[in-house]
């Protein structure tokens, strides 16, 4: 019996990781509202009752899936060369993310992008972006050599960077331009990176930390 417990615990951990990864993918493709717990369990190859042994409800699962995405972002920043600015690291992270999500398609977001808030009722995305903002604020504060406790600039710029993802997708969905290029992966990537470049051009003069 003593030998079985570690195996059992390992199986539980593997199932939990499969559920989190399935949730991350499905929330990214279909959105939070468009994904059910049955969908997540099915994609993970597990019964929904197994899911409930790990997560109390959909919000609980969304929090854990979002934590996984946020941790990936932090790992990217921590592994980046010291001579890279926050803008450069974020550009690389977003480039990789957009390229990775492109094959999944952006169709599910079109109705949301044309609504008053593209993040309304999307608990997963709200948590992810909040985590991104904290990481960006931390690293921008180092770049600008400012204390975010006393100066709001790092968080303001961080907000511009993460919200730029949604701004780029809104533009690709035809808002402002009237031309919908959401199905053009290269156009989505170009729009996403342009937002970062525009923000960097405005605020790069504030960078004081030597690289």
């Amino acid at each position: 019996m003593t030998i079985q417990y570690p195996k059992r615990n390992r199986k539980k951990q593997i199932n939990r990781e499969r559920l989190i990864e399935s949730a991350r993918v499905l929330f990214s493709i279909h959105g939070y509202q468009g994904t059910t717990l049955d969908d997540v369990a099915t994609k993970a190859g597990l019964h929904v009752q197994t899911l409930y042994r790990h997560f109390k409800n959909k919000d609980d699962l969304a929090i854990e899936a979002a934590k996984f995405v946020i941790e990936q972002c932090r790992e990217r920043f921590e592994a980046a060369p010291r001579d890279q600015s926050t803008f450069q690291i974020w550009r690389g992270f977003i480039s990789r993310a957009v390229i990775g999500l492109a094959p999944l398609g952006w169709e599910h977001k079109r109705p949301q992008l044309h609504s008053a808030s593209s993040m309304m009722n999307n608990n997963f995305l709200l948590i992810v972006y909040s985590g991104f903002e904290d990481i960006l604020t931390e690293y921008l504060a180092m770049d600008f050599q400012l204390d975010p406790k006393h100066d709001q600039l790092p968080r303001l710029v961080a907000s511009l960077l993460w919200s730029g993802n949604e701004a780029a997708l809104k533009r690709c969905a035809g808002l402002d331009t009237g031309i919908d290029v959401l199905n053009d992966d290269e156009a989505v990537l170009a729009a996403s990176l342009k937002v970062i470049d525009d923000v960097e051009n405005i605020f790069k003069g504030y960078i004081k930390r030597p690289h």
Side-chain angles (χ1 to χ4, degrees), residues 2-208:
T2 56
I3 298 176
Q4 293 177 355
Y5 283 116
K7 292 182 179 179
R8 182 184 303 170
N9 290 340
R10 178 56 182 160
K11 182 178 180 181
K12 288 175 63 176
Q13 182 61 31
I14 290 173
N15 285 345
R16 181 180 177 84
E17 290 173 358
R18 285 165 62 184
L19 289 165
I20 290 173
E21 174 61 13
S22 296
R24 181 192 69 80
V25 172
L26 291 177
F27 288 154
S28 297
I29 299 174
H30 304 295
Y32 178 83
Q33 289 292 99
T35 301
T36 68
L37 293 181
D38 281 317
D39 294 334
V40 174
T42 298
K43 181 169 180 59
L46 300 168
H47 194 279
V48 71
Q49 290 303 320
T50 301
L51 185 152
Y52 279 114
R53 294 191 192 103
H54 292 272
F55 306 100
K56 294 182 294 185
N57 48 44
K58 191 174 177 181
D59 280 344
D60 189 29
L61 177 58
I63 290 171
E64 292 305 312
K67 284 181 180 178
F68 178 79
V69 176
I70 294 166
E71 183 58 30
Q72 285 185 317
C73 180
R74 179 166 289 281
E75 289 175 357
R76 178 84 178 190
F77 271 79
E78 291 177 349
R82 292 182 60 83
D83 62 347
Q84 285 193 356
S85 70
T86 301
F87 298 112
Q88 291 171 313
I89 302 170
W90 183 244
R91 197 179 195 279
F93 177 76
I94 290 300
S95 178
R96 183 175 179 180
V98 171
I99 291 172
L101 290 172
L104 306 178
W106 307 99
E107 285 299 315
H108 74 279
K109 288 188 68 70
R110 183 174 278 107
Q112 293 178 321
L113 293 167
H114 283 275
S115 69
S117 173
S118 58
M119 293 180 291
M120 189 175 292
N121 299 320
N122 194 329
N123 292 6
F124 169 73
L125 198 57
L126 287 171
I127 298 168
V128 167
Y129 279 165
S130 177
F132 286 172
E133 182 181 304
D134 288 342
I135 294 171
L136 288 165
T137 298
E138 176 184 339
Y139 278 81
L140 285 166
M142 289 189 287
D143 278 354
F144 297 164
Q145 292 189 349
L146 294 173
D147 184 349
K149 293 180 180 179
H150 306 293
D151 197 304
Q152 64 180 346
L153 185 63
R155 188 164 294 277
L156 286 174
V157 179
S159 297
L160 284 173
L161 287 173
W162 74 253
S163 63
N165 298 318
E166 292 299 301
L169 289 175
K170 281 178 177 290
R171 192 168 182 83
C172 289
L175 275 74
D176 302 331
T177 67
I179 302 173
D180 190 325
V181 294
L182 204 56
N183 290 326
D184 185 339
D185 293 341
E186 291 186 4
V188 172
L189 177 60
S192 300
L193 298 182
K194 187 178 187 307
V195 170
I196 300 172
D197 292 342
D198 288 346
V199 175
E200 180 180 11
N201 286 335
I202 296 170
F203 294 102
K204 64 183 178 182
Y206 287 89
I207 297 178
K208 297 178 181 177

